[in-house]
Amino acid sequence: MMKHSQLTWLLLLFSCYHILVSFNFYTCEANQIDNLNKLIKSRRSRNPPHTDSWSNDDINGEYSPVYVGNQDGQKEADKIESLPGQPQGVDFDQYSGYVTVDPNAGRALFYYFVESPQDSSSKPLVLWLNGGPGCSSFGYGGLQELGPFRVNSDGKTLSLNEYAWNKVANVIFLESPAGVGFSYSNTSSDYRYVGDNRTAVDSYAFLVNWLERFPEYKTRDFYITGESYAGHYVPQLAYTILSKNEVTNQTVINLKGVAVSLFATASSLSFYLDKRGYGIDCTEQAQIGNAWIDEKTGVQGEYDYVWTHALISDETHAGITKYCDFVNYTSTCVKYLDQADEEIGNIDAYNIYAPLCNSSSGPKSSASAGSINDIDPCSDDYVNVYLNLNEVQAALHAKPTNWSSCSDVGWTDSPTTILPIIEKLTTSGLSVVLYSGDTDAVVPVTSTRYAISTLNLPLVSAWRPWYSSNEVGGYVAEYKGLTLTTVRGAGHLVPSYQPERALTFISSFLDGKLPPPS
């Protein structure tokens, strides 16, 4: 058997977060790194999560109608009058609260929804999902990436994000599964036994019920977006929607077509809801950013990336190439992997050129908004303080909670690859987009390229630069049914590191276009 220390580092390989580095664990008690490490460790335990090709029992077995609760008056009750510490000039509506997805178990998912300040009635609806698994879409995506606010360094006040995605869409941030963020269950076993299948089913139930609560959005184009382990969530949710519509005449959603684009950590789905209920008319694409979609190519791509960026030696990389097949890990392979970890040192693998957080300083006594274009490496700490303020939880209509950015939920099923689902989506006529920040060593563009190459897709449009504010924003290549886009200078959390370029990219995406060529 492997030594414990060797296994610990080996299990980092699958992580959608700081991989191949000596990690900065002191920045927060529980983070996305820790959660994926735990999942990876469990793969080689006596009771590993199921790793078979993803197959949702509720979909492929006997169909049962999704639970739909009474939503009368819930929208009005969920409206946020004002968030503590928010700046002057907020000109958009905000909502947050719970949607029950299983009344028998008492399972309810928390959401934060922000409408567009202009022409919200004509703009599409976007769902954002963070990964982990087990990490908060509100705490990360909502308050550190694409949401309308960023938490200032005092942990008490907010500043506006001028590149927020609600400039071009109405955006939902969903904390899923139960046990993540403010989401909860009255059945304790729900926290111990959860995985990809349950997450997809509950997210589907959330959407059906949320659209009853906000019926004006039934006729909108709807997109699912997210990042990292959402490379599992988004394709699985898209497939759940497609499959639910093929079962019997009991099906709640009347699917008319879906176009899906997957950013390498997020994905997006376009829906049209017809008058009969929930029809999906895919006029757009779906996307996943820096998405973890395939373990073998993902791990191989990570080590090749750190070598090509001068973070490990030629000798160590040669040893990894010779002795590692990224499926079965021999003791010799593990020796070289450990060696690579030591050579890299203490850096932030989310963005190999970014500074680390000196968390000993903690939140500042006075607010410092900083620049939206320069992410504060201690943002995790500020968000954690803010979302644990009693007045903030009350304003969000949240149950009193010891909120954390990531939660200790037990993951029971997680396939090693999502590529078969992506193939099913593309063969269904859906368009897939994978995007990747090019300074991320966690799910690097190298891994995404390797994953795409296994699909053997014909090239439609050659690699070219795309532009934002008269600068190269990244590069794009289009294959049959799939598009690869990079975001220049962005780390794992693309909208955090390059907010303007991310807004340019999502705007083009929502318009059904490739990023601008000039």
Side-chain angles (χ1 to χ4, degrees):
M1 295 180 65
M2 299 179 190
K3 295 180 180 179
H4 177 73
S5 61
Q6 292 175 324
L7 179 60
T8 299
W9 285 108
L10 175 58
L11 295 176
L12 295 176
L13 295 176
F14 172 76
S15 170
C16 294
Y17 302 95
H18 299 268
I19 301 174
L20 312 177
V21 300
S22 299
F23 303 104
N24 183 25
F25 284 114
Y26 55 78
T27 55
C28 52
E29 293 181 0
N31 55 30
Q32 299 181 90
I33 310 165
D34 300 330
N35 277 41
L36 273 170
N37 289 347
K38 180 179 178 181
L39 175 62
I40 303 315
K41 290 178 183 179
S42 68
R43 286 201 184 281
R44 290 167 175 79
S45 68
R46 293 183 178 180
N47 297 297
H50 302 301
T51 59
D52 297 336
S53 297
W54 185 76
S55 176
N56 192 303
D57 293 337
D58 186 52
I59 293 172
N60 296 287
E62 183 178 352
Y63 176 77
S64 58
V66 66
Y67 164 79
V68 180
N70 183 0
Q71 305 300 326
D72 291 346
Q74 290 297 308
K75 174 185 174 181
E76 292 75 15
D78 287 353
K79 188 168 185 180
I80 298 172
E81 295 304 321
S82 177
L83 287 176
Q86 77 177 35
Q88 298 293 321
V90 173
D91 55 355
F92 47 82
D93 288 335
Q94 313 171 65
Y95 300 83
S96 63
Y98 292 95
V99 171
T100 298
V101 295
D102 187 332
N104 295 324
R107 202 160 61 244
L109 301 185
F110 179 85
Y111 78 93
Y112 171 73
F113 173 56
V114 57
E115 291 189 312
S116 187
Q118 295 181 343
D119 301 322
S120 63
S121 61
S122 63
K123 286 187 169 65
L125 179 64
V126 168
L127 173 69
W128 175 269
L129 301 171
N130 270 84
C135 295
S136 168
S137 299
F138 183 33
Y140 281 101
L143 292 174
Q144 297 185 56
E145 301 186 62
L146 58 132
F149 302 114
R150 296 281 177 87
V151 180
N152 296 330
S153 60
D154 61 356
K156 298 178 181 179
T157 59
L158 304 172
S159 58
L160 286 170
N161 174 11
E162 61 182 301
Y163 301 111
W165 287 13
N166 75 318
K167 302 280 186 183
V168 294
N170 305 287
V171 187
I172 309 171
F173 299 90
L174 175 62
E175 295 196 307
S176 179
V180 174
F182 293 118
S183 296
Y184 71 92
S185 176
N186 294 329
T187 304
S188 60
S189 61
D190 282 348
Y191 301 146
R192 297 193 302 271
Y193 306 107
V194 68
D196 286 18
N197 283 342
R198 166 86 62 75
T199 300
V201 170
D202 281 1
S203 296
Y204 174 79
F206 167 85
L207 287 174
V208 171
N209 281 274
W210 191 92
L211 288 167
E212 287 296 319
R213 189 173 299 187
F214 291 81
E216 66 271 27
Y217 284 95
K218 289 183 179 182
T219 56
R220 303 294 179 87
D221 288 339
F222 175 58
Y223 300 82
I224 310 170
T225 63
E227 71 189 16
S228 205
Y229 196 79
H232 282 223
Y233 295 161
V234 173
Q236 289 166 344
L237 178 55
Y239 183 71
T240 299
I241 294 167
L242 290 171
S243 300
K244 290 269 189 188
N245 290 313
E246 295 178 352
V247 183
T248 69
N249 57 7
Q250 291 180 289
T251 303
V252 175
I253 297 179
N254 178 30
L255 183 64
K256 293 186 174 179
V258 180
V260 182
S261 306
L262 305 172
F263 294 166
T265 47
S267 92
S268 165
L269 189 62
S270 171
F271 294 89
Y272 172 81
L273 294 305
D274 70 14
K275 294 180 180 179
R276 289 182 293 167
Y278 307 93
I280 300 179
D281 184 15
C282 285
T283 56
E284 304 294 341
Q285 308 169 334
Q287 28 174 310
I288 305 176
N290 292 84
W292 187 259
I293 53 177
D294 180 69
E295 183 171 346
K296 184 179 185 297
T297 58
V299 174
Q300 180 183 2
E302 290 158 8
Y303 281 101
D304 286 351
Y305 179 90
V306 294
W307 174 61
T308 59
H309 286 73
L311 300 180
I312 64 174
S313 67
D314 292 349
E315 295 76 17
T316 297
H317 182 257
I320 292 171
T321 302
K322 182 176 181 179
Y323 294 107
C324 298
D325 65 2
F326 307 105
V327 176
N328 302 299
Y329 294 94
T330 65
S331 59
T332 305
C333 168
V334 171
K335 181 188 75 171
Y336 282 104
L337 299 182
D338 287 343
Q339 193 168 301
D341 298 333
E342 293 175 3
E343 290 177 353
I344 291 171
N346 186 27
I347 66 171
D348 180 2
Y350 272 165
N351 183 338
I352 61 174
Y353 305 119
L356 297 176
C357 171
N358 178 12
S359 64
S360 60
S361 59
K364 314 300 189 297
S365 57
S366 59
S368 173
S371 170
I372 291 297
N373 289 298
D374 299 315
I375 186 173
D376 188 324
C378 297
S379 293
D380 268 6
D381 297 340
Y382 310 153
V383 170
N384 188 72
V385 170
Y386 183 77
L387 290 181
N388 276 292
L389 296 175
N390 292 334
E391 60 270 29
V392 171
Q393 295 189 3
L396 290 168
H397 315 120
K399 292 166 63 72
T401 304
N402 182 15
W403 187 93
S404 62
S405 57
C406 296
S407 302
D408 187 24
V409 291
W411 217 254
T412 58
D413 60 278
S414 175
T416 57
T417 183
I418 300 297
L419 291 175
I421 301 177
I422 293 176
E423 285 186 296
K424 288 180 180 178
L425 295 177
T426 57
T427 56
S428 297
L430 308 183
S431 177
V432 175
V433 176
L434 297 172
Y435 79 82
S436 184
D438 63 11
T439 66
D440 174 25
V442 176
V443 189
V445 64
T446 313
S447 296
T448 304
R449 280 176 148 174
Y450 289 172
I452 291 173
S453 70
T454 66
L455 299 175
N456 297 313
L457 300 172
L459 182 66
V460 175
S461 299
W463 181 274
R464 66 159 173 84
W466 62 270
Y467 288 80
S468 177
S469 292
N470 299 316
E471 293 184 348
V472 173
Y475 298 86
V476 60
E478 184 180 6
Y479 301 86
K480 184 178 181 180
L482 184 148
T483 300
L484 168 65
T485 302
T486 72
V487 182
R488 188 168 70 93
H492 191 71
L493 284 65
V494 170
S496 291
Y497 295 108
Q498 290 294 336
E500 183 176 4
R501 291 172 185 172
L503 182 59
T504 298
F505 181 81
I506 189 65
S507 298
S508 296
F509 168 74
L510 295 175
D511 287 339
K513 303 174 182 177
L514 293 179
S518 62

